[in-house]
Amino acid sequence: MPQYKLTYFDGRGRAEVTRLLFAVAGVNFQDNRIGVSIPPQPSQLPIWLDMKPNTPFGQLPLLEFDGKLIAQSHAIERYLAREFGLYGEGNYEMALTDMWIDSFEELISPIIQYNFGPGGDTEKAEQKKKYLETTLPTYFKKLETDLGNNSSGYLVGKGLTVGDLYVLKHNEWVMVSFGEEGQMAVKKYPNVQAHIKRISALPKVAAWLEKRPQNKF
Ligand SMILES: N[C@@H](CCC(=O)N[C@@H](CS)C(=O)NCC(=O)O)C(=O)O
């Protein structure tokens, strides 16, 4: 097994699904947190700004192993999920897994904008309303239906995939960003709620959730 090194900020952010993949696969990795929180403290910024020009796209996360390097969180996740058998069986299930990775990107990037992007109180209130009333339901209706139609208890096919880990990860974003209002919004989707409970309780997932560093984001 290669010696994997995952470099990211000190937070869950765009690295946490990768960390969950390692945890579920039972594969050791170097969880290289560069000592800069999310969002960064001003005093921490020089650490990142020194490093930034030496990264392929001026961003983290990065995965390194065997003298190779992969940038872009979803490229990293897709690579590892395929390596670890967490991508579904056959081309069609893999496409469905891709469909969910892409959908969760569309769900998570407005939350990142809400938390860290520009805008005063009025804009933030509008962003929150749009997210909870329009964006989230667009994707959650299909998520609820697909989970209800799959008797395996997983999102795609008969086993755990990176898609299931995204359901969990997205829920953390909603809770930390929108609190009780977020909880009210997701309560309307009982299959999704049951799914989050079930996936969080899988022994290797539960062990990671218990032992991981505690960060707000
Ligand atoms: N599309 C990229 C986005 C990566 C990204 O936005 N990384 C942020 C942290 S979540 C970053 O490196 N920010 C620091 C900067 O842009 O200077 C991915 O999915 O990896």
Side-chain angles (χ1 to χ4, degrees):
M1 189 62 71
Q3 299 290 303
Y4 291 107
K5 177 176 163 187
L6 177 68
T7 299
Y8 193 59
F9 301 99
D10 184 16
R12 295 187 303 278
R14 287 188 175 275
E16 195 63 10
V17 168
T18 297
R19 297 187 185 114
L20 279 161
L21 283 165
F22 281 122
V24 163
V27 172
N28 282 330
F29 71 106
Q30 186 188 342
D31 191 4
N32 180 36
R33 297 168 184 244
I34 64 165
V36 177
S37 59
I38 304 175
Q41 302 293 318
S43 64
Q44 299 170 330
L45 263 178
I47 303 174
W48 167 236
L49 293 178
D50 267 3
M51 186 179 173
K52 187 175 165 83
N54 300 317
T55 65
F57 306 114
Q59 290 178 322
L60 299 178
L62 302 175
L63 180 72
E64 292 164 88
F65 57 97
D66 292 345
K68 302 183 177 87
L69 183 146
I70 306 177
Q72 293 288 358
S73 58
H74 303 318
I76 294 169
E77 292 152 7
R78 288 175 159 114
Y79 177 82
L80 291 176
R82 285 190 298 262
E83 285 291 295
F84 301 159
L86 295 165
Y87 214 90
E89 294 285 326
N91 205 8
Y92 179 59
E93 284 186 15
M94 290 184 185
L96 293 181
T97 300
D98 282 335
M99 177 183 86
W100 284 113
I101 293 175
D102 293 350
S103 297
F104 279 110
E105 173 61 32
E106 288 168 12
L107 274 165
I108 288 172
S109 71
I111 299 194
I112 292 178
Q113 275 306 308
Y114 173 79
N115 282 301
F116 310 117
D121 289 352
T122 314
E123 281 133 308
K124 293 293 166 189
E126 278 164 12
Q127 287 173 19
K128 186 201 295 187
K129 186 172 158 51
K130 181 173 177 222
Y131 192 84
L132 296 177
E133 292 179 10
T134 308
T135 312
L136 187 139
T138 300
Y139 296 87
F140 267 49
K141 278 181 200 150
K142 167 95 175 123
L143 185 58
E144 180 75 3
T145 308
D146 281 15
L147 287 171
N149 286 342
N150 194 350
S151 58
S152 72
Y154 296 103
L155 181 55
V156 172
K158 293 192 172 62
L160 186 75
T161 65
V162 60
D164 297 297
L165 303 177
Y166 255 109
V167 180
L168 206 70
K169 175 70 186 88
H170 173 261
N171 194 57
E172 292 184 344
W173 272 118
V174 170
M175 291 309 134
V176 75
S177 309
F178 306 124
E180 217 159 287
E181 285 163 271
Q183 209 143 22
M184 294 302 287
V186 296
K187 254 193 183 156
K188 296 175 190 155
Y189 306 92
N191 295 337
V192 180
Q193 291 313 294
H195 191 69
I196 291 163
K197 247 188 171 168
R198 196 162 51 241
I199 300 301
S200 310
L202 295 174
K204 284 178 175 161
V205 174
W208 172 251
L209 298 181
E210 177 70 27
K211 85 164 204 198
R212 70 183 177 182
Q214 295 303 308
N215 301 104
K216 181 173 180 201
F217 290 105

